[in-house]
């Protein structure tokens, strides 16, 4: 963005209402934001998919009516970013971007961190001595083992009882792969925790054709419990999609309902706060997050979003143009859409990244955006938070960052994209999901 470097978590710039104030005026009814935007209360019946430069074959009805809307739903398989902790080599290696911290070991841990070997007459070295752990306090068979010394047991506070090192938390770095879909999330280099979350899954439509789902959420840092908000939203949206699609629900309608389900899950977090807590901190914002999701079926791509997380289309044939498929719910996008400012001027303003739409109990009005596309060639759908697109904002920049073999190796490509953001500074949490879009079947182009 001209004149504006990476701003960390763009969602953190959400205007904070006072104890009894309503949301910012810009959070009301964004105009011209996103293709195919539809209202929250009364979604219109899905019509023709939106036309986007760089995706030929648009303009026809997006999805044929299902023959049987109520068949027996096949088993859906999904994975959430927090369902499993890193295992194997990933668990043993220190997390990139997670600083290793020391703290004095507990009494009887077998090591002193406040005295050097030279001070004890054991030599003239400058290093602290790490003694072997006491076999009498060896870790239990299933206890967590320190990633630094590989011997000490990790206490309930997340520190090694042998060497005192802080352990990486489960959400500091997460990777998941489900069928053709892959996602990676990383805490980044500046934040103390990861407030992003994702969920990916696969299932089948009533006709037996496969469908892939990816949901990415970014917690609003200025709100309370943003990490819980993103996790609840991603899980709820993913579950809603995997339940609705096998029953024959139109994918665009299923996406709309999934965003509403995510909103309800985040709102429920605010209801969990007891009255005493609200009385002592009335100025705190309710838990909140952004959401962006993609559904890929044979010949159809559906996206949905609220906030400033994005979806990009990257064709396998790089001679064809890439495209951004979502429009931010942000101050800058609103100014440009209203014709009040040019794009360069709007994005150079310090208010550019203030979001005007989010999921949360204090959102003025929930307005999910959905759009459907019919690409006529294979490609990759990039679903990401601003922690990535701040370092590859335009569609061409994103296409340049995505490896050429992303459709065949989506997990590797997701790792590369996270690395791209970390190499650029890693100012924010970084989350990206990649969903390969298969070659269009013969005769399944534009109708």
């Amino acid at each position: 963005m001209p004149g504006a470097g990476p701003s960390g978590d763009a969602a953190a710039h959400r205007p904070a209402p006072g104890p009894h104030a309503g949301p910012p005026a810009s959070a009301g009814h964004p105009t011209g934001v996103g293709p195919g935007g539809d209202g929250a209360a009364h979604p219109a019946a899905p019509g023709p998919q939106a036309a986007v430069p760089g995706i030929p074959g648009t303009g026809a009805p997006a999805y044929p009516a299902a023959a049987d809307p109520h068949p027996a739903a096949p088993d859906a398989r999904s994975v959430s970013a927090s369902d499993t902790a890193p295992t194997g080599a990933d668990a043993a290696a220190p997390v990139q971007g997670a600083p290793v911290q020391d703290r004095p070991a507990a009494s009887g841990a077998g090591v002193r961190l406040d005295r050097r070997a030279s001070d004890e007459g054991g030599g003239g070295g400058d290093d602290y001595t790490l003694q072997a752990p006491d076999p009498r306090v060896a870790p239990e068979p299933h206890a967590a083992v320190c990633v630094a010394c590989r011997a000490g047991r990790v206490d309930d506070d997340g520190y090694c009882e042998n060497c005192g090192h802080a352990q990486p938390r489960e959400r500091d770095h997460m990777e998941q792969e489900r069928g053709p879909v892959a996602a990676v999330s990383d805490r980044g280099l500046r934040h103390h925790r990861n407030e992003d979350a994702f969920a990916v899954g696969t299932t089948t439509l009533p006709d037996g054709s496969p469908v892939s789902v990816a949901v990415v959420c970014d917690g609003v840092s200025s709100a309370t419990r943003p990490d819980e908000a993103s996790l609840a939203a991603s899980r709820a949206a993913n579950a809603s999609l995997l339940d609705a699609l096998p029953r024959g629900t139109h994918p665009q309608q299923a996406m709309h309902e999934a965003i509403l389900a995510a909103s309800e899950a985040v709102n429920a977090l605010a209801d969990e706060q007891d009255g005493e807590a609200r009385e002592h901190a009335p100025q705190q914002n309710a838990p909140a997050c952004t959401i962006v999701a993609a559904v890929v079926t044979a010949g159809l791509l559906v996206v949905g979003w609220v906030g400033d997380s994005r979806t990009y289309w990257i064709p396998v044939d790089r001679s064809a143009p890439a495209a951004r498929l979502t429009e931010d719910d942000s101050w800058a996008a609103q100014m440009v859409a209203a014709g009040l400012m040019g794009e360069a001027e709007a994005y150079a303003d310090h208010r550019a990244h203030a979001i005007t739409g989010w999921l949360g109990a204090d959102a003025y009005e929930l307005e999910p955006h959905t759009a459907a596309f019919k690409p006529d060639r294979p490609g990759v759908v990039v679903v990401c938070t601003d922690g990535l697109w701040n370092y590859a904002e335009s569609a061409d920049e994103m296409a340049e960052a995505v490896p050429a073999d992303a459709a065949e190796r989506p997990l590797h490509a997701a790792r590369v994209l996270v690395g791209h953001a970390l190499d650029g500074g890693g100012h924010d949490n970084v989350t990206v999901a990649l969903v390969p879009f298969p070659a269009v079947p013969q005769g399944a182009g534009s109708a």
Side-chain angles (χ1 to χ4, degrees):
M1 283 169 283
S7 60
D9 185 355
H13 296 278
R14 178 181 66 151
H20 304 287
S26 58
H29 303 271
T31 56
V33 181
D38 43 5
H42 304 284
Q49 76 283 3
V52 167
I55 301 189
T58 58
Y63 191 75
D68 181 2
H70 302 290
D75 291 337
R77 305 168 64 209
S78 68
V79 174
S80 171
S82 66
D83 286 343
T84 57
T87 58
D90 288 339
V95 177
Q96 183 176 10
V100 177
Q101 303 174 4
D102 290 332
R103 75 169 189 178
S107 175
V111 62
R112 288 285 297 274
L113 298 179
D114 58 344
R115 186 178 301 168
R116 294 180 298 182
S118 59
D119 297 330
E120 299 178 343
D126 291 332
D127 295 332
Y128 292 100
T129 302
L130 289 180
Q131 300 175 6
D134 188 336
R136 293 170 297 179
V137 291
E140 293 84 353
H142 301 291
V145 177
C146 175
V147 300
C149 70
R150 308 289 181 90
R153 186 177 71 86
V154 178
D155 64 21
D156 294 338
D157 293 330
Y159 290 85
C160 175
E161 293 182 348
N162 176 51
C163 68
H165 279 84
Q167 305 299 296
R169 287 169 291 190
E170 179 182 352
R171 287 179 66 176
D172 281 356
H173 185 89
M174 299 296 297
E175 298 185 356
Q176 297 289 353
E177 190 170 31
R178 177 59 67 191
V181 192
V184 176
S185 181
D186 192 272
R187 190 186 71 182
L189 305 180
R190 304 293 182 89
H191 282 223
H192 72 283
R193 66 180 174 185
N194 190 357
E195 296 171 356
D196 288 357
F198 67 79
V200 295
T202 59
T203 185
T204 56
L205 299 179
D207 63 2
S209 59
V211 56
S212 300
V213 172
V215 182
V216 169
C217 297
D218 185 353
V220 177
S221 294
S222 60
T224 58
R225 301 153 64 194
D227 53 331
E228 296 181 38
S230 62
L231 182 60
S234 61
R235 286 178 168 177
N238 187 59
S240 178
L241 286 167
L242 294 180
D243 176 66
L245 292 169
R247 292 189 283 106
T249 304
H250 185 289
Q252 196 167 356
Q253 179 67 26
M255 179 67 75
H256 183 96
E257 294 172 358
I259 295 177
L260 296 182
S263 176
E264 291 176 2
V266 177
N267 292 349
L269 295 178
D271 296 337
E272 293 174 4
Q273 185 179 9
D274 58 52
E276 183 178 353
R278 286 193 293 267
E279 182 179 351
H280 284 84
Q283 76 285 355
Q284 289 185 336
N285 294 325
C289 68
T290 69
I291 186 171
V292 64
V295 171
V296 169
T297 69
L300 180 69
L301 163 61
V302 172
V303 299
W305 73 99
V306 173
D308 63 348
S309 293
R310 294 180 176 180
T311 301
Y312 292 82
W313 160 259
I314 312 296
V316 170
D317 180 3
R318 298 303 174 87
S319 63
R324 174 155 66 95
L325 305 181
T326 57
E327 291 292 337
D328 300 342
D329 286 325
S330 69
W331 182 90
Q334 201 172 56
M335 293 300 102
V336 174
L340 300 177
M341 301 176 74
E343 185 171 351
E345 180 185 5
Y347 281 98
D349 193 282
H350 71 279
R351 297 166 290 182
H353 287 286
I355 61 172
T356 58
W358 60 88
L359 303 183
D362 63 350
Y364 178 71
E365 181 178 348
L366 176 61
E367 186 177 358
H369 310 291
T370 64
F373 308 93
K374 292 186 69 176
D376 65 352
R377 66 196 67 203
V380 176
V381 183
V382 179
V383 186
C384 65
T385 61
D386 61 340
L388 172 60
W389 67 253
N390 270 326
Y391 299 97
E393 183 176 355
S394 70
D396 290 340
E397 290 172 327
M398 186 63 72
E400 186 175 348
V402 173
D405 61 351
E408 291 76 32
R409 303 172 64 198
L411 181 58
H412 167 75
R415 291 168 176 163
V416 169
L417 290 173
V418 169
H420 176 78
L422 298 180
D423 290 344
H427 287 72
D428 197 359
N429 306 145
V430 189
T431 301
V432 58
L434 292 183
V435 190
F437 186 89
V440 179
Q442 281 285 11
S446 57

